[in-house]
Amino acid sequence: MNSPRIEVMADGGLFHIQGSSSSLTIANYHGLPLRLWWGSRFTPSAEALAEIRSDPPPYSVCDDPDDTSWSSARLHLDYAPPLAGDRKAPAFIATSTKASIISPRISGWRTYEGRPTLAGLPFARAEASEVRTLELTLSDPEAGLELALSYTVFEDSDIIAHNVTYRNKGDSIIRLSRASSFAFDFAPRHSMELVDLEGTWARERMARRSALTPGKKLIGSNLGVSSHRFSPVCALLPATTTEASGEAWGASLEWSGDWQFSFELDEFDCLRWSGGPGAEGFSWELGPGDTFICPEALLGWSEGGLSGLSDQFHEFLSRRITPPRWRGKARPILVNTWEASYFDFDAQGLDDIARQAARLGAELFVLDDGWFSRRNDATSSLGDWWPNEAKLGGSLEDLARRVDGLGLGLGIWIEPEMVSPNSDLFRAHPDWCLVAPGAPRHRGREQLVLDLGRPEVREEIKGRVRALLSSARFAYVKWDFNRPLGLPGSTLLPPERQGEASYRFTLGAYDLFKSITSTFPDILFEGCAGGGGRMDYGTLSYFPQYWASDDTDAVARWAIQGGAGLFFPPCVIGSHVSAVPNHQTGRSLGMMPRLAAALGGILGFELDLALLEAADFALAAEACNWYKDWRSLLQFGRRVRLPTAAEGDRSGRSPFADDAAWMSVDEASGRAVVVWSRLRATANPGSAFLRLRCLEKEATYMISIPPFVRGPGSSTLARKSGAGTRSLSGAELMRRGLEILPGTGDATAIVFELQRV
Ligand code: DGJ
């Protein structure tokens, strides 16, 4: 157990925050917080303060009108206030009726056991004894603004939770137009690269690595949700860092609304990295006595390459973000009706799917969209959360009973934050949607967003959802969100405060999530927003799993889940086998590659099982059977990306350019599962050698191929040993690797089981 420590040196001139193997040091320099170091652990000396370089460079401005010996132009600032000398963007912008520039300085500090609690926002869970916090107070007494910057360090982790709270302690109104959750400078080290996740609907979380060049780069979302376009997570690394070695820094915002990350590289090779809520147009008014709390940022460091960083975030998310009740709890295999029948089903059809699901060995039957009010397409009924009993052939409790009789739990789809213009809810409350007074109501997917910033709207929706979820025994809920906010506004706010509407909406959504999930703690909630449009550490604080994408094509899923895997562990990624030709890409693949892709997350099915050929059905049923034995490893074991020949191949001519592979390892039991796939077939292929990782060099591993694995992908193991079992040392598996004989056909796949003997 590595206990967190914070050392205060030089009478509060220097602070040393110690993670399990990292150090973050902050200096107090003329009242400005400086980030002296964040990286591998060493004890700083107070002498470092004398080394700070602050002489004004040519063509610069000094910050102290009475002292021209120094300037902030070359300082490495932490949460930089607006300054005369600093040339980069400040961490926040605040104005008041008294001051057009508000620039506070450090006025106090404290360290304590425990962490701040954030009213109305999600934050990392910890017992007080597991964490220590450094809090710096920055004040501008004239303007009356006080900021609390806090750094919380956790036992056994190199992740730091960064928090910022603004307080108006004066008597005038203060307006915030930017309020970052974190912002700090990297002293020049190496040329830095950014790894981020970009995309769009059905193409979420495409990992991209790019060099940062002088100037400013921005990523974020102004869609009112964290979005499909970019995810509020990213990594920064020197160009020399690889998958398994070198330093890497990462950040994740626990926030599901508008956000921004900014990377600004200056003329002295200093990189300012900031991130926080809000997009253009954000504003927040702080009246006297008011407080504004920024969403929490999680900042991580590793010297184990990108893998090391992923391990840190996976562990942290599972241990401290997702609801504790679901920690390590096996996630059921579900069958969802969406791609099986969309809106077009009846009681007979549902019963047929449920019967097939039971035969397959699934554990949950999930009734997707189309079960309520007059909802037979996407044009109506959102908000009217009562069952269409004629379509369902009875009540939801009747359905739950029938499904239970088959040995399955019942799951249901809802989208509580929305309203259809064609609904009883809208007809009763046309003013409840998220638009400014008098503004047009822009529709997306024929629906409007509810103004969850308004307490009476939230209370009504809570009541309706509670009534629904109490009406039958539900084991699972899929909570959807199918359009961005557009141009949000609120009838609750005056014209000059409309910039708060989007932020207030997300706070309202969190209140709704919290109220419903705590009323029904035994229901497993899966988040969804047209696929992965709001998959972030904020929603995952309430919903333990997430539907990663509406693209269920196996080849596409390798990329989507691979990107998500940088920051999200497999236990939060919903992943289903669907029909062929695939409904999103038109691609047709065999059952084996579709199963192999779905094993990358929480296994489920989303197709009319009755239409499967008998051989495919049998294969899927065998896989379900096998999965139940191995799922605790697959869902909660350490997930390791395996470098295939494609990595490091800059020629683009490698015959292995389209291979992808991962393994799940449990170091304690010595068990592992390896999954490899060749996404695009190569004619006349040579062997592929898959080098495993994270095994014990000296140990011997029994390797076998699970009984359900068949199809063109093969291995020398299966071919030469007949029985498909062989023992190899960890060293051999990690150095020489497993030899694979790719077959023909796209996405041929093979799965191996390993057991240390
Ligand atoms: C979008 C989701 O991502 C789909 O899986 C499905 O639930 C539809 N919405 C239903 O409208």
Side-chain angles (χ1 to χ4, degrees), residues 637-648:
R638 179 174 176 193
R639 179 59 62 90
V640 184
R641 293 182 288 276
L642 292 178
T644 56
E647 237 199 318

Side-chain angles (χ1 to χ4, degrees), residues 83-326:
L83 292 168
D86 180 32
R87 302 159 190 236
K88 297 187 284 298
F92 63 93
I93 298 175
T95 54
S96 81
T97 37
K98 282 193 180 153
S100 59
I101 295 172
I102 302 182
S103 185
R105 296 290 184 276
I106 297 176
S107 58
W109 54 266
R110 67 177 178 131
T111 65
Y112 60 94
E113 191 178 80
R115 56 147 305 146
T117 49
L118 314 182
L121 286 163
F123 55 89
R125 297 169 167 92
E127 297 296 326
S129 60
E130 298 171 327
V131 283
R132 280 201 78 76
T133 297
L134 164 68
E135 183 182 281
L136 301 179
T137 306
L138 277 73
S139 324
D140 184 326
E142 219 158 289
L145 182 66
E146 189 176 282
L147 262 82
L149 297 189
S150 71
Y151 307 79
T152 298
V153 58
F154 299 77
E155 82 181 7
D156 291 332
S157 178
D158 284 309
I159 287 186
I160 286 171
H162 193 269
N163 282 288
V164 186
T165 299
Y166 291 80
R167 285 192 193 93
N168 184 347
K169 301 205 117 180
D171 53 12
S172 59
I173 289 177
I174 295 177
R175 199 173 290 279
L176 295 171
S177 54
R178 179 187 304 157
S180 302
S181 293
F182 72 94
F184 64 89
D185 293 339
F186 275 98
R189 288 183 210 184
H190 312 268
S191 52
M192 295 288 263
E193 297 186 344
L194 167 68
V195 175
D196 65 346
L197 304 177
E198 53 147 353
T200 182
W201 175 80
R203 263 195 283 125
E204 299 90 333
R205 299 192 176 75
M206 298 290 120
R208 169 177 68 159
R209 182 168 176 165
S210 50
L212 288 171
T213 51
K216 196 165 174 180
K217 180 180 175 77
L218 287 178
I219 57 172
S221 163
N222 60 358
L223 301 174
V225 280
S226 51
S227 93
H228 303 81
R229 295 179 70 197
F230 292 101
S231 291
V233 291
C234 73
L236 285 179
L237 13 141
T240 47
T241 290
T242 65
E243 177 64 33
S245 72
E247 283 191 292
W249 291 263
S252 174
L253 285 182
E254 288 170 71
W255 180 241
S256 312
D258 294 327
W259 61 278
Q260 239 180 38
F261 280 166
S262 146
F263 313 88
E264 191 175 358
L265 186 62
D266 76 7
E267 62 273 45
F268 304 117
D269 288 328
C270 171
L271 176 66
R272 176 163 299 167
W273 181 13
S274 69
E280 296 80 10
F282 163 81
S283 70
W284 196 269
E285 186 178 291
L286 280 176
D290 285 354
T291 293
F292 177 79
I293 308 175
C294 289
E296 178 158 276
L298 301 172
L299 306 174
W301 169 87
S302 167
E303 55 191 347
L306 259 180
S307 279
L309 197 69
S310 295
D311 288 347
Q312 291 264 348
F313 277 94
H314 286 190
E315 211 269 330
F316 197 89
L317 179 72
S318 313
R319 180 164 171 203
R320 306 206 175 272
I321 302 295
T322 49
R325 200 179 189 90
W326 297 96

Side-chain angles (χ1 to χ4, degrees), residues 338 368-369 413 445 478 480 482 528 530-531 547 550 606:
W338 182 241
D368 210 283
D369 200 351
W413 176 97
R445 208 196 193 209
K478 177 175 173 188
D480 208 344
N482 278 304
C528 174
W547 178 231
D550 273 349
E606 179 149 349

